[in-house]
């Protein structure tokens, strides 16, 4: 699938290793306007221990949507210091939703990942990039 003339592979999102509790995953890091807007739209598959980390330029009550997202997701809203502020189970096509609090990052991974690893609100995510 192509978006604005670029495929995901051509966008070349950097991959970082994140850890919450004892669970680790490889997350593509989205921080440009294009990659933040695109998110996981049009993807058909996400590896079991993979995800997408949305890095916003500043903290706020940032919302996301599931339009054109084909994968059910666990959506973790993370504060600037990496604390899980909210976990939302999202289905493809869901309307926009917000955490209801100030966050800096959103981590999207396969639905059920948090349950499988015992991730709960209040846990801390390690390996986040430093704010720019």
């Amino acid at each position: 699938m192509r978006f604005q003339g670029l495929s995901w592979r051509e966008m070349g999102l950097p991959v970082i290793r994140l850890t919450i509790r004892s669970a680790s995953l490889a997350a593509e890091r989205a921080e440009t306007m294009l990659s933040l807007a695109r998110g996981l739209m049009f993807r058909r598959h996400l590896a079991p221990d993979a995800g997408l980390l949305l890095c916003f330029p500043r903290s706020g009550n940032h919302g996301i949507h599931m339009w054109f997202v084909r994968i059910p997701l666990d959506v973790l809203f993370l504060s600037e210091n990496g604390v899980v502020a909210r976990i939302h189970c999202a289905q493809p096509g869901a309307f926009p939703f917000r955490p209801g609090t100030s966050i800096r990052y959103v981590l999207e991974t396969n639905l059920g990942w948090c349950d499988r690893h015992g991730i709960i609100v209040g846990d801390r995510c390690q390996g986040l990039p430093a704010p720019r």
Side-chain angles (χ1 to χ4, degrees):
M1 184 59 147
R2 299 182 78 74
F3 182 79
Q4 297 285 333
L6 296 174
S7 70
W8 268 105
R9 190 176 311 271
E10 291 165 333
M11 287 176 74
L13 296 177
V15 176
I16 60 173
R17 177 67 54 188
L18 299 176
T19 304
I20 307 175
R21 291 187 173 231
S22 62
S24 181
L25 65 110
E28 293 173 78
R29 189 175 74 208
E31 35 189 11
T32 66
M33 290 300 289
L34 176 62
S35 62
L36 287 169
R38 174 86 193 271
L40 289 172
M41 291 192 314
F42 308 110
R43 292 255 189 122
R44 295 186 187 277
H45 175 75
L46 191 59
D49 286 312
L52 178 70
L53 180 68
L54 305 173
C55 303
F56 294 100
R58 62 192 142 284
S59 293
N61 189 25
H62 301 289
I64 68 162
H65 66 81
M66 294 289 289
W67 299 325
F68 305 111
V69 177
R70 299 174 178 179
I71 308 162
L73 299 173
D74 278 349
V75 179
L76 293 83
F77 293 95
L78 308 171
S79 68
E80 188 157 342
N81 61 359
V83 174
V84 178
R86 179 177 177 198
I87 300 171
H88 183 83
C89 299
Q91 293 296 324
F95 286 99
F97 49 93
R98 295 181 181 276
T101 189
S102 184
I103 54 102
R104 181 69 180 261
Y105 307 96
V106 174
L107 177 59
E108 301 175 339
T109 191
N110 288 299
L111 184 68
W113 188 85
C114 290
D115 283 342
R116 277 193 305 282
H117 298 288
I119 308 301
I120 59 172
V121 170
D123 286 344
R124 185 177 302 272
C125 181
Q126 304 293 324
L128 292 170
R132 292 183 178 194

